[in-house]
Amino acid sequence: MEHQPGNHAMRVISENAEELVARHYPLYVWTWGGVLAALTMYIAVRCVIFAFQTDLSELVDLICPLTIAIPTALFLSWPMVTLTLDRAAAEVRVERKGLFGKRTWTGLLEDLTGTKAERYFSATRKRFLCRLVLEFDQGGPMVLDIADSEDNLEEVQESVDRFIRLIRRQISRL
């Protein structure tokens, strides 16, 4: 079963008997952050030109780095997160891809007991958000540090739990 990821939600993008892949695209943050940064810089330049009757070329050297820096900072703050349950490799992988590369965490698939959607209060956003927590027998929980809605994470949670039950059922038959 193949799915196309949403604009910002964590979604299952690939699921079969051997592998489950879920991905979180914070595309809305990158897009809107870049648009807002460019719009803000444009308005600032127009205001300065109007107020001081200044030539635009003098401000370009100041504005261009800022229109690049703000979306870059957003990309660093909200990297793309991919969760992979790989039966052939018997592992759980969590990859965080940002502007300057990726970080990968791996765990044993046999130790994965389930998932839960954990609600937390975001002081910066002034509202409750959800993140996915992978629960393991050994080593404790692994928190996927993403901000998403509870509804979006429930779909991923159900798919992961179904995948784990399928593997356990197949192993018990052997």
Side-chain angles (χ1 to χ4, degrees), residues 12 14-21 83-87 90-93 105 107-116 132-137 142 144 155-173:
V12 175
S14 174
E15 183 177 5
N16 58 49
E18 295 298 315
E19 184 178 71
L20 181 137
V21 180
L83 167 65
T84 305
L85 306 181
D86 188 344
R87 186 171 176 194
E91 70 179 9
V92 177
R93 277 189 312 278
W105 176 90
L108 295 175
L109 185 58
E110 66 186 31
D111 288 341
L112 182 62
T113 59
T115 61
K116 68 179 180 178
L132 193 64
V133 179
L134 305 175
E135 297 174 328
F136 290 89
D137 279 338
M142 168 60 176
L144 297 183
E155 176 190 333
V156 174
Q157 185 179 3
E158 288 170 9
S159 294
V160 169
D161 290 343
R162 185 174 52 246
F163 188 82
I164 293 168
R165 282 192 308 272
L166 176 69
I167 289 173
R168 297 214 190 284
R169 213 174 304 131
Q170 290 172 346
I171 290 172
S172 68
R173 290 180 186 162

Side-chain angles (χ1 to χ4, degrees), residues 4-144:
Q4 291 302 317
N7 287 344
H8 65 285
M10 183 162 211
R11 297 276 188 241
V12 175
I13 59 171
S14 174
E15 183 177 5
N16 58 49
E18 295 298 315
E19 184 178 71
L20 181 137
V21 180
R23 188 167 288 146
H24 183 260
Y25 286 98
L27 186 60
Y28 71 105
V29 174
W30 305 334
T31 303
W32 286 111
V35 167
L36 289 175
L39 184 60
T40 302
M41 295 305 135
Y42 175 76
I43 291 170
V45 167
R46 297 304 294 171
C47 288
V48 169
I49 290 170
F50 179 74
F52 300 107
Q53 300 300 318
T54 305
D55 184 21
L56 178 64
S57 62
E58 296 172 9
L59 294 174
V60 169
D61 291 337
L62 172 68
I63 300 304
C64 284
L66 290 177
T67 59
I68 294 168
I70 293 171
T72 301
L74 291 172
F75 186 65
L76 291 172
S77 300
W78 286 282
M80 182 173 59
V81 177
T82 304
L83 167 65
T84 305
L85 306 181
D86 188 344
R87 186 171 176 194
E91 70 179 9
V92 177
R93 277 189 312 278
V94 177
E95 293 179 345
R96 298 176 60 78
K97 291 183 185 178
L99 185 63
F100 298 112
K102 71 178 180 178
R103 290 187 331 227
T104 303
W105 176 90
T106 59
L108 295 175
L109 185 58
E110 66 186 31
D111 288 341
L112 182 62
T113 59
T115 61
K116 68 179 180 178
E118 178 181 89
R119 286 187 67 182
Y120 68 99
F121 185 76
S122 172
T124 56
R125 295 185 187 176
K126 308 282 191 255
R127 63 185 175 117
F128 281 96
L129 298 171
C130 258
R131 59 185 165 206
L132 193 64
V133 179
L134 305 175
E135 297 174 328
F136 290 89
D137 279 338
Q138 306 290 321
M142 168 60 176
V143 178
L144 297 183

